[in-house]
Amino acid sequence: MVGESLSRIGLAGLAVMGQNLALNIAEKGFPISVYNRSSSKVDETVERAKQEGNLPVKGFHDPKDFVLSIQRPRAIIILVKAGAPVDQTIDTLSKFMEPGDCIIDGGNEWYENTERRALAVKEKGLLYMGMGVSGGEEGARYGPSLMPGGTPEAYEYIKDIVVKIAAQVNDGPCVTYIGEGGAGNFVKMVHNGIEYGDMQLISEAYDVLKSVGGLTNKELARTFSEWNKGELESFLIEITADIFRVKDDKGEGELVDKILDKTGMKGTGKWTVQQAAELSVAAPTIACSLDSRFLSGLKEEREAAAEVFRKAGVGDILITKEVDKEQLINDVRKALYASKICSYAQGMNIIRAKSIEKGWNLNLGEISRIWKGGCIIRAVFLDRIKAAYDRNPKLASLLIDPEFAKEMVERQESWRRVVSLAISVGISTPGMSSSLAYFDSYRRSRLPANLLQAQRDYFGAHTYERIDASGSFHTEWSKIAKLQAKF
Ligand SMILES: *[C@@H]1O[C@H](CO)[C@@H](O)[C@H](O)[C@H]1NC(C)=O
């Protein structure tokens, strides 16, 4: 290496995301060293760097050479599969790293693993960060949304780089220092939970429009393109419109109709729902999107069930209804938007509850801002969420931000029509229905929980509070009820 200049940063793990992020960093003018155990990945990355504009990427097959090629204090991003591979990579690299160097895990890691590793490498004097990276391969290459968490000193190592490589929107780069410990991973996890919700709601809109409204793929493409010009404008709506246009290359019609209705997943959605439960935060829209993936996985079982119910007299759709297509499209658009508000309110509440528990001091407005570009849930709508938190950083729920409250009230008639219609024809719209139920529960000052409390006190003497007096009370329900029944 004599005479050669050192790289500004290193990146280990050259699968699709790693390669693209490395090229993005190099393209923004930061010389980068790259490493992977399998040497073909290294050569592939160096070759791409050459082809995509002679970018300053140096490849290494040896971990020691790799580490020593980076200027001190070193910053090394690792992008490998979450779990054991991260520990292995840290083991391999940390041997050659020196006090003051920093490791940044860019994978979808469980936040507690990041906190554990941060403590472990601290003994060697190393710094550690967990950085959520969203946007898929396209985002990694041309501008992702980045959610770095860890000590503020560690963020200083990469700040100049991440603000350049992140997606750029009207109010800045889609990156901000998230918070201490595993905060970056946690926020990325909830981002993915919200993404589950968005995708579920969109698929329900599709089902209603197709199965009840009888829209063809061509009409669906046109509808989603139209929607993408208004309040729903977002990456997911845009790609959905595209999907309906793609012809099947192996047969008649469009490809979407030939795809098996069985969903895959990797775990961040499940973690989000588990965390919601741990924190006692209601997140029905996100939870039902996870349940829907579980149910979709039971393809064979569902086919058998369809047969059982067909024999019992119930077909796929219970009744066919005459609907006004234009009105249905408008109603579904409004139901989708209102449901989305509920879903994001749930996600933000999970983040806020965790922030309080961990003392992370997370800024919900800033988090909404960095999701405006680069990531999968990027949407015009996030501007409104940011504005809501700017108006009131202590907002208890997005639902009661005056603007959102007004928007939901304006859409509730359509929302109720869509859900009722779906129920009456036998199409499940769990995302839209549970969002509506969430709205209806949240907006009513009195719920039937009084009866539930009476039941708990009846069988378990759990006591109850009164609306007209303070303190806790217990009643001998069974004795009194028996006595009074006599009269
Ligand atoms: C290198 O590549 C392989 C797959 O080709 C992958 O399994 C491995 O985790 C990568 N990362 C590192 C740091 O070696």
Side-chain angles (χ1 to χ4, degrees):
M1 297 287 308
V2 181
E4 266 195 74
S5 58
L6 297 175
S7 296
R8 166 66 182 82
I9 188 169
L11 189 146
L14 297 171
V16 192
M17 288 295 281
Q19 277 191 22
N20 284 304
L21 199 66
L23 295 173
N24 182 0
I25 292 170
E27 191 171 61
K28 299 300 175 315
F30 303 98
I32 186 168
S33 295
V34 297
Y35 163 75
N36 199 99
R37 226 174 337 120
S38 78
S39 48
S40 64
K41 293 278 172 201
V42 177
D43 300 339
E44 205 178 298
T45 311
V46 172
E47 185 53 35
R48 274 188 68 188
K50 223 176 269 161
Q51 280 172 8
E52 295 179 28
N54 259 327
L55 306 175
V57 175
K58 273 188 223 158
F60 293 87
H61 303 282
D62 178 75
K64 186 178 179 188
D65 293 344
F66 165 69
V67 172
L68 296 182
S69 72
I70 303 158
Q71 75 180 49
R72 292 191 61 197
R74 302 183 180 92
I76 300 182
I77 299 176
I78 58 179
L79 265 163
V80 297
K81 251 177 105 158
V86 178
D87 290 307
Q88 281 158 20
T89 310
I90 294 171
D91 269 355
T92 308
L93 301 178
S94 61
K95 270 187 229 132
F96 311 109
M97 296 176 78
E98 293 164 87
D101 291 352
C102 180
I103 298 175
I104 302 116
D105 176 13
N108 274 326
E109 188 54 273
W110 171 237
Y111 83 97
E112 285 180 343
N113 286 345
T114 293
E115 301 192 335
R116 168 176 63 75
R117 288 171 186 139
L119 278 180
V121 302
K122 199 174 172 186
E123 286 174 13
K124 296 179 185 171
L126 301 181
L127 286 76
Y128 197 87
M129 299 198 92
M131 178 170 73
V133 179
S134 178
E137 37 181 308
E138 187 79 8
R141 179 68 180 86
Y142 300 106
S145 173
L146 299 169
M147 293 151 252
T151 58
E153 301 85 79
Y155 183 59
E156 290 305 316
Y157 284 43
I158 53 166
K159 189 177 172 186
D160 59 333
I161 299 180
V162 291
V163 299
K164 284 253 174 63
I165 65 168
Q168 309 290 323
V169 292
N170 56 358
D171 45 8
C174 292
V175 61
T176 192
Y177 169 68
I178 299 285
E180 293 275 348
N185 292 132
F186 192 89
V187 167
K188 172 64 186 350
M189 176 197 79
V190 176
H191 164 283
N192 287 22
I194 291 174
E195 178 185 311
Y196 274 50
D198 273 353
M199 293 169 76
Q200 173 66 27
L201 291 170
I202 290 173
S203 70
E204 291 174 16
Y206 158 58
D207 200 7
V208 172
L209 291 176
K210 177 190 159 88
S211 307
V212 187
L215 267 70
T216 62
N217 287 330
K218 203 171 163 187
E219 290 170 314
L220 285 162
R222 210 182 310 129
T223 302
F224 277 81
S225 290
E226 206 50 49
W227 287 359
N228 201 39
K229 293 178 192 144
E231 65 200 11
L232 288 171
E233 182 185 337
S234 59
F235 173 69
L236 284 168
I237 293 287
E238 181 189 332
I239 67 165
T240 304
D242 281 352
I243 287 169
F244 292 122
R245 292 193 181 97
V246 172
K247 295 263 177 268
D248 182 11
D249 56 346
K250 294 189 169 55
E252 292 285 288
E254 288 79 31
L255 181 55
V256 66
D257 294 322
K258 310 287 175 63
I259 295 179
L260 187 69
D261 49 330
K262 206 170 164 178
T263 321
M265 65 187 115
K266 286 197 176 147
T268 41
K270 185 157 97 182
W271 293 342
T272 306
V273 175
Q274 287 172 327
Q275 280 296 298
E278 290 289 341
L279 295 160
S280 304
V281 173
T285 314
I286 300 175
C288 87
S289 60
L290 183 68
D291 289 337
S292 296
R293 290 195 185 197
F294 294 152
L295 283 168
S296 85
L298 307 175
K299 176 66 174 173
E300 293 76 24
E301 231 179 286
R302 285 187 288 114
E303 280 178 336
E307 191 54 24
V308 169
F309 286 105
R310 197 187 54 76
K311 283 189 184 138
V314 177
D316 181 41
I317 301 283
L318 302 184
I319 33 168
T320 38
K321 286 210 170 177
E322 269 309 309
V323 290
D324 175 340
K325 262 192 202 180
E326 277 317 303
Q327 154 117 46
L328 183 69
I329 291 171
N330 266 321
D331 280 350
V332 172
R333 173 175 51 80
K334 291 178 185 173
L336 179 51
Y337 184 79
S339 301
K340 213 170 132 96
I341 298 174
C342 291
S343 182
Y344 280 67
Q346 295 160 27
M348 296 318 253
N349 284 358
I350 296 172
I351 294 177
R352 202 212 7 241
K354 193 70 182 182
S355 174
I356 292 168
E357 183 198 274
K358 301 279 290 182
W360 279 339
N361 204 14
L362 303 182
N363 181 335
L364 298 180
E366 256 303 89
I367 291 170
S368 320
R369 183 189 67 75
I370 65 165
W371 288 347
K372 277 176 59 180
C375 65
I376 304 298
I377 64 170
R378 62 183 182 261
V380 169
F381 171 66
L382 281 155
D383 229 358
R384 309 180 67 74
I385 298 183
K386 181 186 178 295
Y389 284 114
D390 285 350
R391 273 192 289 277
N392 177 8
K394 294 220 178 314
L395 191 64
S397 167
L398 283 179
L399 266 51
I400 50 165
D401 168 73
E403 298 263 317
F404 281 130
K406 185 163 156 275
E407 290 183 339
M408 302 222 296
V409 170
E410 283 165 2
R411 286 160 183 78
Q412 63 159 339
E413 238 178 273
S414 292
W415 197 3
R416 292 180 198 284
R417 258 200 306 272
V418 171
V419 170
S420 308
L421 177 67
I423 289 172
S424 68
V425 304
I427 290 180
S428 63
T429 50
M432 290 182 184
S433 312
S434 66
S435 297
L436 180 55
Y438 179 77
F439 169 66
D440 281 336
S441 295
Y442 191 69
R443 86 185 156 72
R444 292 179 71 209
S445 60
R446 186 150 170 90
L447 290 174
N450 52 327
L451 178 61
L452 205 135
Q453 281 298 79
Q455 291 167 335
R456 293 179 68 239
D457 188 52
Y458 189 120
F459 64 68
H462 294 298
T463 74
Y464 55 87
E465 293 174 288
R466 295 187 56 102
I467 53 173
D468 53 0
S470 59
S472 52
F473 299 84
H474 170 60
T475 298
E476 294 291 329
W477 296 90
S478 129
K479 259 188 230 158
I480 297 169
K482 275 194 194 102
L483 271 173
Q484 290 179 348
K486 290 195 182 123
F487 304 107

